Amino acid sequence: MKYKSILAALAISITIATALADTKADTKIGFIVKQAEESWFQDEWKFAQVAAQEKGFTLVKIAAEDGEKLMSAIDNLGAQGAQGFIVCTPDVKLGPGIVARARANDLKLMSVDDRLVDGKGQALENVPHMGISAHKIGEQVGIALIAEIEKRGWKLDEVGALRVSYDSLPTAVDRVNGVISILTENGLPKINIFDAPQKKTDTEAAMNAATIVLNQHAKIKYWIAFGLNDEAVLGAVRATESVKIDPLNVIGIGIGGSDSAISEFKKAALTGFFGTIIISPKRHGYETSINMYEWIKNNKTPEKLILTSGELATRDNYIEVRKSLGIE
Ligand code: FCA
């Protein structure tokens, strides 16, 4: 008898312990990204995981490179009992669909990097968003390009500018417009700016787009390149290499500052990839996840819009800049 009641007590306490463990881990947050192979998104996940460990929630990392995958990912999170998710969507125009799907699955929703828009292209202001101050960061690229052009003593009317473009994404447009505003203000003729529209936002697509422009303007000696991110500019730089332009005649400045850019600085030989504006995957991954957790657990509604800043890094100072941002 006594033995049996001990067993029963043990069984009850095990049940209670399991229940407690369950409550501790019962917060589940999804982090969906459009391009998991890109180092920026891997860094975002990495910092989101830091938040998960700190707060004791389960982080579900999902890659969704198209709308179909994204919608089933949301349903899947709902079925797993998640309470919310953060998304960088493969297509901002899916905005209203994402909102509806989140609601149907009773999931809280925040966007990161790329802000959701409605059918008219207007931002969905009710979805809390963390993005970068795109125009301002573009201006930082422009300022750094002009400074380096001057340092190298190039005449502005002899410089070709490769605008690697992805115009269906508003943040991409804002970024390159920021760059162009500075370039033209400083005297770069508008006719020297050439569009290289990329089909996808990866290095290969950027390289293909840039190669066409370089072949069309083979007489131009000096080139600068800018675009949505590091991948866009790396693609342009690879294109200059493939048509045998001297790296000293190329200044590419990207946006991002994760591995793909940093490994370029680590190469022994100088390349045309001169710099990058380092943005913060820590804020975009860690802070969004903490904000989502606080929303779920403590009903603390996140700020509707947070725009983060960036800092120029080159071969010479990237280690210090990364340290100062807490990402080295
Ligand atoms: C967009 C780009 C990414 C990164 C992010 C902040 O999503 O595609 O490369 O720059 O904004």
Side-chain angles (χ1 to χ4, degrees), residues 135-156:
H135 196 273
K136 170 131 193 291
I137 286 172
E139 287 173 2
Q140 286 171 274
V141 173
I143 291 166
L145 284 169
I146 291 288
E148 188 58 22
I149 289 172
E150 277 170 9
K151 201 167 156 205
R152 295 190 192 185
W154 301 351
K155 285 204 206 104
L156 276 170

Side-chain angles (χ1 to χ4, degrees), residues 34-35 38 40-41 44 88-89 112-115 130-132 166 169 171-172 175 201 228-231 255-256 279-280 284 308:
K34 63 178 180 181
Q35 230 162 326
E38 193 181 309
W40 165 261
F41 294 108
E44 270 186 347
C88 178
T89 174
V112 70
D113 304 336
D114 300 352
R115 202 173 188 194
M130 184 185 284
I132 66 167
Y166 193 73
L169 182 60
T171 184
R175 294 177 199 186
T201 58
L228 163 72
N229 54 16
D230 288 329
E231 282 67 20
I255 295 172
I279 50 179
S280 177
H284 287 232
T308 60

Side-chain angles (χ1 to χ4, degrees), residues 22-243:
D22 277 347
T23 17
K24 193 172 171 268
D26 74 357
T27 306
K28 207 177 246 189
I29 297 175
F31 204 116
I32 310 177
V33 304
K34 63 178 180 181
Q35 230 162 326
E37 72 283 3
E38 193 181 309
S39 52
W40 165 261
F41 294 108
Q42 283 169 21
D43 283 353
E44 270 186 347
W45 273 349
K46 185 178 87 190
F47 288 110
Q49 192 60 53
V50 174
Q53 245 121 32
E54 200 177 297
K55 295 289 185 186
F57 64 83
T58 306
L59 179 77
V60 186
K61 298 183 269 188
I62 308 174
E65 64 264 28
D66 59 44
E68 212 174 302
K69 290 217 175 75
L70 174 55
M71 293 306 163
S72 61
I74 300 172
D75 287 344
N76 197 277
L77 284 169
Q80 286 188 49
Q83 295 88 354
F85 69 99
I86 298 148
V87 64
C88 178
T89 174
D91 179 357
V92 289
K93 290 191 290 297
L94 293 170
I98 297 170
V99 170
R101 208 63 163 235
R103 200 171 290 147
N105 281 288
D106 202 14
L107 291 162
K108 291 188 164 44
L109 163 66
M110 285 169 59
S111 54
V112 70
D113 304 336
D114 300 352
R115 202 173 188 194
L116 306 179
V117 301
D118 63 17
K120 292 192 190 109
Q122 295 296 315
L124 298 186
E125 285 173 2
N126 282 327
V127 178
H129 176 71
M130 184 185 284
I132 66 167
S133 17
H135 196 273
K136 170 131 193 291
I137 286 172
E139 287 173 2
Q140 286 171 274
V141 173
I143 291 166
L145 284 169
I146 291 288
E148 188 58 22
I149 289 172
E150 277 170 9
K151 201 167 156 205
R152 295 190 192 185
W154 301 351
K155 285 204 206 104
L156 276 170
D157 54 3
E158 288 172 9
V159 175
L162 265 167
R163 169 191 183 265
V164 179
S165 58
Y166 193 73
D167 287 349
S168 59
L169 182 60
T171 184
V173 177
D174 293 344
R175 294 177 199 186
V176 294
N177 283 349
V179 185
I180 290 173
S181 68
I182 299 290
L183 296 178
T184 51
E185 255 168 47
N186 280 277
L188 183 93
K190 278 207 176 93
I191 49 159
N192 290 23
I193 303 172
F194 305 104
D195 255 20
Q198 50 181 166
K199 291 207 178 76
K200 275 179 72 184
T201 58
D202 61 13
T203 305
E204 195 189 339
M207 177 173 170
N208 294 339
T211 304
I212 297 173
V213 174
L214 294 173
N215 284 331
Q216 278 166 348
H217 303 278
K219 289 209 180 93
I220 296 179
K221 185 170 172 197
Y222 302 116
W223 284 97
I224 58 172
F226 54 93
L228 163 72
N229 54 16
D230 288 329
E231 282 67 20
V233 174
L234 282 167
V237 168
R238 295 289 93 88
T240 61
E241 289 160 359
S242 77
V243 299

